[in-house]
Amino acid sequence: MSDYLIRATGYNGHVRAFAARTTTIVEEIRSRHDMWNTATAAAGRTLTVTLMMGAMLKGDETLYVKVKGGGPIGQIIAEANADGEGVAYVTNPHVHFDLNEKGKLDVRRAVGTDGFVYVTKDLGLKEPYQGSSPIVSGEIGEDFTYYFVTSEQTPSAVAVGVLVNPEDRSVLAAGGFILQLLPNTPEEVVSKMEERLSGLPQVSRMIGEGLSPEEILEKVLEEPKFLSRTEINFHCKCSADKVSQALISLGRVEIESMIEEQGEAEVHCHFCNERYHFDKSALEDLMKDM
């Protein structure tokens, strides 16, 4: 099944909603970075939220998210755009703990609770929008719920989950949803939504049972109206051409120094884990273009 996200409204247009299935893209980042189970859950939850936040953007706008909680995983970095393209990585992918008291992957322990969620949006203006909020649980979903309320003044409910195969570390299922109250939402709508959410199974359970994004929203929304569907794809901005241009920008003296001292150069992309190798001949070719 392909990854995709949907935009919808519910409760007679008073609530806007986003839901996504991200199994394939989370498996992609796990495989590329050789992530261990708890690290995969943390990165996958963050990337899922980031992709859904990307669906709130328009045109060429992009979103950059950093979760820095002081835990052993280090930083979680994710990027997404309005076209459903995203990528993510963590500082230390080799993090795994025993299941917590609820029998779930201990994401809180990996992420930590002493830090902040940072969101940067490139909206095509002179200065990007930047927002942040303290980490309140380290579980990612609650942390972004708090972010929306405090930094964007938008009452929201965020739920994300990742199921990982304990045997081979592959991703069995990943996804989640975001619900947001629009201005002047009646109190009775808030009460109805809270009641539905209180009786909702864990999002990881719903994803594991194979529920589609539409089926998940049908459980949490009254009178859901589906507005759009966007395919989700792994996408990194790096390329051999961009790396070549970056090396050229260093200048002839710097490239000559690389040739003399190492005889080669290697550029590593943290996001996709690709390594671009330039031998002596390739570096000399770059200088011809200068």
Side-chain angles (χ1 to χ4, degrees):
M1 294 186 291
S2 64
D3 288 349
Y4 68 95
L5 62 85
I6 57 171
R7 294 173 58 252
T9 60
Y11 296 96
N12 198 28
H14 289 296
V15 177
R16 74 169 183 169
F18 305 83
R21 180 168 60 219
T22 58
T23 306
T24 302
I25 193 170
V26 174
E27 169 61 18
E28 177 81 18
I29 65 169
R30 181 210 68 80
S31 176
R32 282 178 173 267
H33 295 280
D34 187 34
M35 289 183 185
W36 293 359
N37 296 8
T38 312
T40 298
R45 291 181 188 182
T46 303
L47 178 56
T48 298
V49 175
T50 304
L51 285 161
M52 290 189 288
M53 293 176 71
M56 303 174 190
L57 303 175
K58 300 177 181 178
D60 296 329
E61 297 173 355
T62 57
L63 180 76
Y64 177 91
V65 165
K66 177 168 68 176
V67 178
K68 188 176 181 181
I73 201 173
Q75 297 184 144
I76 309 172
I77 308 294
E79 281 189 2
N81 59 28
D83 297 322
E85 297 173 333
V87 66
Y89 73 96
V90 301
T91 306
N92 181 12
H94 293 165
V95 172
H96 179 59
F97 300 109
D98 293 335
L99 300 181
N100 61 21
E101 65 278 2
K102 296 181 180 179
K104 298 176 62 179
L105 290 168
D106 202 347
V107 171
R108 173 191 178 97
R109 184 177 174 186
V111 173
T113 57
D114 183 18
F116 289 81
V117 168
Y118 301 93
V119 175
T120 302
K121 298 178 184 179
D122 184 352
L123 305 178
L125 306 175
K126 288 185 178 180
E127 297 293 332
Y129 164 86
Q130 294 181 316
S132 65
S133 66
I135 289 176
V136 293
S137 75
E139 293 286 347
I140 305 301
E142 293 97 329
D143 300 310
F144 278 90
T145 295
Y146 190 72
Y147 164 80
F148 280 118
V149 173
T150 59
S151 188
E152 300 194 5
Q153 291 75 53
T154 305
S156 306
V158 180
V160 284
V162 177
L163 292 179
V164 182
N165 187 325
E167 301 299 326
D168 62 7
R169 304 207 307 265
S170 63
V171 177
L172 297 173
F177 64 82
I178 298 176
L179 307 179
Q180 296 188 318
L181 300 180
L182 297 178
N184 303 314
T185 298
E187 190 60 41
E188 58 266 28
V189 170
V190 177
S191 299
K192 287 181 180 179
M193 192 174 75
E194 289 178 343
E195 183 178 354
R196 285 203 178 202
L197 289 174
S198 66
L200 198 68
Q202 291 180 340
V203 67
S204 58
R205 177 181 169 186
M206 292 190 290
I207 296 165
E209 291 175 350
L211 269 66
S212 68
E214 291 89 345
E215 289 170 329
I216 290 175
L217 287 188
E218 286 171 352
K219 286 183 174 292
V220 296
L221 292 179
E222 188 176 90
E223 302 173 0
K225 181 179 179 181
F226 300 112
L227 305 177
S228 66
R229 168 175 169 149
T230 302
E231 300 301 313
I232 290 174
N233 294 289
F234 175 90
H235 176 73
C236 186
K237 296 178 181 178
C238 78
S239 68
D241 182 61
K242 287 184 177 180
V243 172
S244 296
Q245 293 304 314
L247 287 173
I248 290 173
S249 70
L250 295 176
R252 177 177 292 274
V253 173
E254 187 66 27
I255 295 178
E256 287 176 343
S257 176
M258 292 178 186
I259 294 174
E260 292 175 6
E261 295 176 12
Q262 290 93 30
E264 61 183 2
E266 184 174 86
V267 179
H268 175 221
C269 177
H270 291 292
F271 272 108
C272 66
N273 211 29
E274 288 287 346
R275 296 182 182 274
Y276 297 88
H277 182 261
F278 295 79
D279 58 18
K280 179 181 178 180
S281 176
L283 291 174
E284 290 174 339
D285 286 341
L286 288 181
M287 288 196 294
K288 295 176 182 177
D289 296 331
M290 299 174 68

